[in-house]
Amino acid sequence: MEINLIENLLEKALIIKRKNADIEEYTGENFNIFNILNLNNKELIHSAFIGNLLNVQGNHGQKDLFLKLFIAEIKNLFFENDQKILLLNNFETLNSYVKIEEYLGLVNYESEEGGRADIVIKNNKHQLVIENKIYALDQPSQLIRYKKYYSNSPILYLTLNGDIPSNNSQKDLINGNDFICISYKNNIINWIEKCIKEMANKPIIRETLNQYLTLIKQLTNQTTNNKMEQELTDLILSNENNYNAFKALLQNQNDITSKLVHDSSEIFIEKVLNVVAQRNALDLKIDDGFFQGKKQTGVTFYNADILKDLCIEIEFQESGLKLPAIACSVNQIKKSQKHENLAFKFQKSFSNGEVESSHDRFLFSLYTKSSDMLGIHNIDLQELKFNQNQIPDLIEIYDSIIDRFLSVIKNEYN
């Protein structure tokens, strides 16, 4: 394969990319209030927004209009449970209200009880439960725990693309009977589009819904970028030379990605985490496999004088430096009651973190849904090599979180 054929293909692809960037600029597609405020993939934000629309008492002032449209969109998906379809058909929408992050009690994985439900629509007779997943992973027995608490209530498992829950979450529950899978890509987009039509004479609500619709299309790959992808596909298949050049690139994709992950992870350590460690007088340990972007690898901050028998860990739950979580854990020994008490002190200092009651070492963790992780999940660390202008933001975000952990430890842990 002649290298000039590959270069020619890349040049043409770049022309297409630039053209579509111009279109996005002209249409204003990239100007989205949710993106600007770094709220685009935060589950709590989506839950709050959707919950407000579904709330008869929501400040949109449209009473049960949006809720009726939502029920009409999803009710027939309970194809194996006529009783749930009947329940939804007779759901007393005007007498309902919505609770976000409803507390079900402390999580007990052995008895499969407790937790928090993202969105719950209630009236005097029935409840409708929505488990909202953007990028977060399923928790053990999650749907089972909801089923126990809400008994025969309809449970909706909402993901970007209509994914099914893990076996560990649903266990013996039946899709279409005990719960249904719905998606942002289809069901939420359909519902929001119907809401927009109803708001033709209410411009503020209509344009807010349009902004949210654009956001969902971005998250589910249905924007101008999709048209660009089609153009690139047509380019590659337009002649044999282009296709052969594409194949050559594809054959080296793993090597390219591995080298990019390695280079970006080195930059992340050297220019971000080393700076954070120095600011807080901490030492840094790097897991084997981190520079290869392996799943569930990361780094550990430690210092016996400052952290005592504790450490602070950053772990990437998916390969390729994806889905970072930050946790305080016990350093190589089992937790004591003193550690358990400290975990609840952390819970008071952070937003929507998880007390890790069932874990032998972990005390408290910050996952995707925590608003304290705001900004981290919007930065693609895999591409940090080409986006080093984001380094100052990364330093400040991680330093702020580490500093808050240290403050609690200093003030509450003796």
Side-chain angles (χ1 to χ4, degrees):
M1 169 59 60
E2 296 181 14
I3 197 69
N4 64 318
L5 293 178
I6 296 177
E7 291 175 345
N8 182 55
L9 178 65
L10 292 174
E11 286 174 5
K12 290 179 179 178
L14 185 59
I15 291 171
I16 291 173
K17 180 175 174 57
R18 286 173 176 166
K19 183 192 75 173
N20 280 274
D22 290 341
I23 292 172
E24 289 174 346
E25 183 177 353
Y26 178 77
T27 60
E29 183 177 300
N30 289 330
F31 185 81
N32 186 284
I33 189 65
F34 297 96
N35 288 331
I36 292 169
L37 297 177
N38 288 322
L39 305 177
N40 52 346
N41 60 6
K42 302 294 178 282
E43 287 175 6
L44 282 174
I45 300 301
H46 285 273
S47 294
F49 188 83
I50 291 172
N52 192 279
L53 291 178
L54 295 173
N55 196 345
V56 173
Q57 303 166 17
N59 51 17
H60 48 73
Q62 306 308 303
K63 298 185 178 178
D64 63 346
L65 173 61
F66 299 146
L67 176 55
K68 283 182 174 179
L69 291 172
F70 181 78
I71 291 175
E73 171 66 29
I74 58 91
K75 63 182 180 181
N76 291 324
L77 296 175
F78 280 101
F79 52 87
E80 292 191 6
N81 194 320
D82 292 339
Q83 288 184 337
K84 284 191 170 66
I85 294 176
L86 182 64
L87 182 154
L88 291 168
N89 280 330
N90 296 321
F91 195 86
E92 295 179 1
T93 52
L94 273 176
N95 295 324
S96 68
Y97 61 96
V98 170
K99 297 197 74 173
I100 305 297
E101 291 284 304
E102 182 169 46
Y103 183 62
L104 316 183
L106 287 174
V107 175
N108 187 319
Y109 294 118
E110 291 184 4
S111 63
E112 297 179 326
E113 295 175 317
R116 291 184 183 274
D118 292 328
I119 305 171
V120 185
I121 308 160
K122 297 170 171 274
N123 60 30
N124 293 329
K125 298 178 181 179
H126 304 293
Q127 299 160 121
L128 175 59
V129 184
I130 303 174
E131 172 56 25
N132 183 23
K133 296 283 185 189
I134 302 294
Y135 295 120
L137 302 176
D138 284 337
Q139 298 172 20
S141 306
Q142 193 165 22
L143 293 189
I144 288 285
R145 288 185 272 122
Y146 297 166
K147 176 70 173 176
K148 281 189 175 182
Y149 191 88
Y150 297 107
S151 188
N152 295 317
S153 299
I155 298 174
L156 281 55
Y157 185 76
L158 171 61
T159 61
L160 289 177
N161 299 301
D163 300 330
I164 62 173
S166 66
N167 291 333
N168 194 26
S169 173
Q170 73 176 77
K171 299 204 171 176
D172 60 351
L173 299 184
I174 300 172
N175 187 3
N177 184 353
D178 301 300
F179 69 93
I180 57 172
C181 298
I182 63 173
S183 70
Y184 281 92
K185 185 175 184 177
N186 295 313
N187 305 105
I188 299 299
I189 282 181
N190 290 343
W191 169 55
I192 294 294
E193 286 177 341
K194 291 171 185 174
C195 293
I196 290 171
K197 288 180 181 178
E198 294 290 336
M199 294 296 104
N201 296 320
K202 297 186 179 351
I204 294 178
I205 299 176
R206 183 188 67 232
E207 292 311 311
T208 301
L209 290 170
N210 271 315
Q211 286 267 299
Y212 189 62
L213 180 64
T214 298
L215 170 64
I216 297 171
K217 288 183 175 180
Q218 289 172 348
L219 290 174
T220 55
N221 300 314
Q222 299 182 72
T223 55
T224 302
N225 279 333
N226 297 90
K227 297 176 183 177
M228 179 181 71
E229 289 170 6
Q230 185 59 53
E231 287 189 69
L232 291 173
T233 300
D234 294 341
L235 170 66
I236 290 165
L237 297 178
S238 63
N239 61 64
E240 187 177 0
N241 283 340
N242 283 357
Y243 178 67
N244 287 334
F246 169 72
K247 274 205 311 182
L249 289 171
L250 205 58
Q251 287 167 357
N252 289 279
Q253 181 181 7
N254 290 338
D255 291 339
I256 293 168
T257 302
S258 295
K259 183 65 166 63
L260 178 61
V261 168
H262 182 274
D263 292 351
S264 293
S265 59
E266 283 193 334
I267 292 168
F268 181 57
I269 293 295
E270 179 184 348
K271 297 187 177 182
V272 178
L273 296 189
N274 276 343
V275 173
V276 173
Q278 290 169 9
R279 283 186 178 184
N280 295 282
L282 298 174
D283 298 308
L284 198 63
K285 177 186 174 184
I286 303 168
D287 290 346
D288 293 338
F290 173 73
F291 291 114
Q292 290 74 45
K294 290 185 178 180
K295 182 178 181 179
Q296 294 181 331
T297 61
V299 300
T300 302
F301 295 97
Y302 66 98
N303 182 308
D305 293 330
I306 298 174
L307 289 170
K308 308 182 189 317
D309 62 342
L310 305 173
C311 57
I312 300 171
E313 303 181 36
I314 301 172
E315 181 183 279
F316 292 88
Q317 299 167 80
E318 296 293 337
S319 60
L321 304 178
K322 304 291 186 182
L323 276 184
I326 304 177
C328 182
S329 61
V330 178
N331 189 13
Q332 297 181 347
I333 60 172
K334 195 170 182 178
K335 290 187 295 189
S336 66
Q337 186 59 50
K338 183 170 69 169
H339 297 125
E340 299 281 0
N341 294 338
L342 181 63
F344 288 102
K345 301 292 185 180
F346 287 133
Q347 190 176 41
K348 292 180 180 179
S349 297
F350 290 94
S351 299
N352 305 110
E354 295 282 342
V355 174
E356 303 281 10
S357 302
S358 63
H359 200 286
D360 286 340
R361 289 185 53 247
F362 283 14
L363 306 183
F364 180 84
S365 300
L366 298 173
Y367 294 106
T368 312
K369 64 167 55 180
S370 172
S371 57
D372 292 298
M373 300 288 277
L374 190 67
I376 289 179
H377 293 283
N378 291 330
I379 297 176
D380 189 347
L381 286 181
Q382 184 170 296
E383 298 179 357
L384 188 60
K385 178 176 182 176
F386 302 117
N387 297 301
Q388 296 193 39
N389 61 313
Q390 295 176 320
I391 287 175
D393 290 337
L394 284 169
I395 291 172
E396 294 309 315
I397 294 168
Y398 279 101
D399 183 58
S400 173
I401 291 173
I402 298 300
D403 180 67
R404 287 169 69 184
F405 271 113
L406 293 178
S407 294
V408 175
I409 293 169
K410 179 180 178 181
N411 295 326
E412 305 289 347
Y413 189 63
N414 299 312

